Amino acid sequence: MLIPFFNSIITTLFLVKALLLLYLCKMQLASSLLENAVNEFAKLPGIGKKTALRLVLHLLKQDTAEVSHFGETITKMRTDIQFCHRGGNVSDAAVCSICANSFRNQRLICVVENIRDVIAIENTQQFSGTYHVLGGIISPLDGVGPEQLNIESLINRIQTEETEELIFALNPNIQGDTTIYYIQKKIQQLPCKITTIARGIAFGGELEYADELTLARSLTNRLPVGSYISNR
């Protein structure tokens, strides 16, 4: 006798919950301003509609001045941020703080695909040189060729700055290896040592997701590019 009674209670609770969720959804759509804000947040990577709604409702509860400051900070970041004229890293000025640091080895360049990779390597605290952000890697299938990357500026840097060593820290996949091979051929006549990070990172992996210990060891145990390419 009790089991059917409890089953009916559980069913009723589920129905109430479903109706409550439906009501909340209708309330959400009651404000076009709220809906527009949710849609904008949902455009961010990894943010779904539910998470976007929580973020918007959180902002809605905050003081107007705080929300204004939040919006102004994002706007200022987008309008005022620059890219280092030397290495392509994000910067508040024409030259980033890494390139402007006289304590770093200015004749040592680490070549990376994007800014996230700069951050990943900097977090290891094992690299004391400068960076050069290519802005991508050679990928013909995706329509990305050498002319669309910051390769010519890299060659100019090596020539004018008397670079002693060039370290390739690109993702260990076919596109990354193709980019290394292309640049190596372009600068093989220049008096510059060419190395690549040791493959402590699995082939096909993403550099930005590697743990700091693996990245640190890869930088410490870097290999000559010639020996790496010949073993492929």
Side-chain angles (χ1 to χ4, degrees):
M1 295 291 293
L2 292 176
I3 294 178
F5 174 72
F6 283 118
N7 285 339
S8 63
I9 292 178
I10 293 173
T11 302
T12 303
L13 289 175
F14 273 116
L15 288 173
V16 171
K17 183 178 181 180
L19 290 172
L20 181 60
L21 289 174
L22 182 61
Y23 173 74
L24 290 174
C25 288
K26 288 183 178 180
M27 288 297 292
Q28 173 190 349
L29 297 176
S31 170
S32 60
L33 296 175
L34 185 66
E35 182 179 0
N36 292 339
V38 170
N39 290 335
E40 291 303 315
F41 271 95
K43 292 178 182 179
L44 297 173
I47 303 296
K49 281 292 184 69
K50 290 183 179 180
T51 302
L53 177 59
R54 285 199 296 270
L55 293 173
V56 171
L57 291 178
H58 172 76
L59 290 176
L60 198 59
K61 293 187 295 183
Q62 303 306 304
D63 185 76
T64 304
E66 292 184 11
V67 178
S68 297
H69 178 69
F70 174 79
E72 290 170 1
T73 301
I74 299 299
T75 301
K76 186 174 180 61
M77 180 274 297
R78 184 63 186 89
T79 56
D80 294 357
I81 203 166
Q82 302 181 47
F83 292 93
C84 179
H85 291 177
R86 188 182 180 198
N89 192 21
V90 289
S91 175
D92 293 338
V95 178
C96 70
S97 59
I98 294 177
C99 286
N101 189 342
S102 59
F103 291 101
R104 301 186 75 113
N105 187 346
Q106 301 296 323
R107 295 191 176 185
L108 180 62
I109 300 176
C110 182
V111 180
V112 296
E113 178 182 346
N114 53 49
I115 295 163
R116 293 191 301 271
D117 295 336
V118 173
I119 297 172
I121 295 175
E122 280 296 286
N123 285 338
T124 70
Q125 299 182 351
Q126 297 295 311
F127 182 67
S128 59
T130 62
Y131 295 91
H132 193 89
V133 182
L134 294 177
I137 50 179
I138 297 174
S139 180
L141 293 178
D142 296 322
V144 180
E147 65 282 351
Q148 294 164 289
L149 305 178
N150 299 324
I151 294 178
E152 287 303 319
S153 59
L154 172 62
I155 297 174
N156 291 334
R157 281 189 67 184
I158 297 172
Q159 293 173 330
T160 58
E161 298 178 13
E162 300 179 348
T163 302
E164 295 177 350
E165 183 179 358
L166 191 71
I167 306 172
F168 285 105
L170 302 180
N171 290 322
N173 51 33
I174 298 300
Q175 293 82 3
D177 288 352
T178 300
T179 307
I180 292 174
Y181 181 78
Y182 177 85
I183 297 176
Q184 181 199 16
K185 288 297 183 182
K186 294 281 288 185
I187 63 175
Q188 61 183 349
Q189 302 301 325
L190 299 177
C192 173
K193 181 181 179 182
I194 305 172
T195 59
T196 182
I197 57 175
R199 295 312 190 188
I201 303 171
F203 185 84
E206 295 290 337
L207 196 68
E208 68 175 294
Y209 298 123
D211 62 274
E212 294 177 8
L213 179 60
T214 300
L215 266 176
R217 288 178 176 174
S218 296
L219 281 167
T220 303
N221 302 317
R222 55 187 181 270
L223 303 170
V225 167
S227 63
Y228 169 69
I229 295 295
S230 62
N231 289 330
R232 293 307 304 273

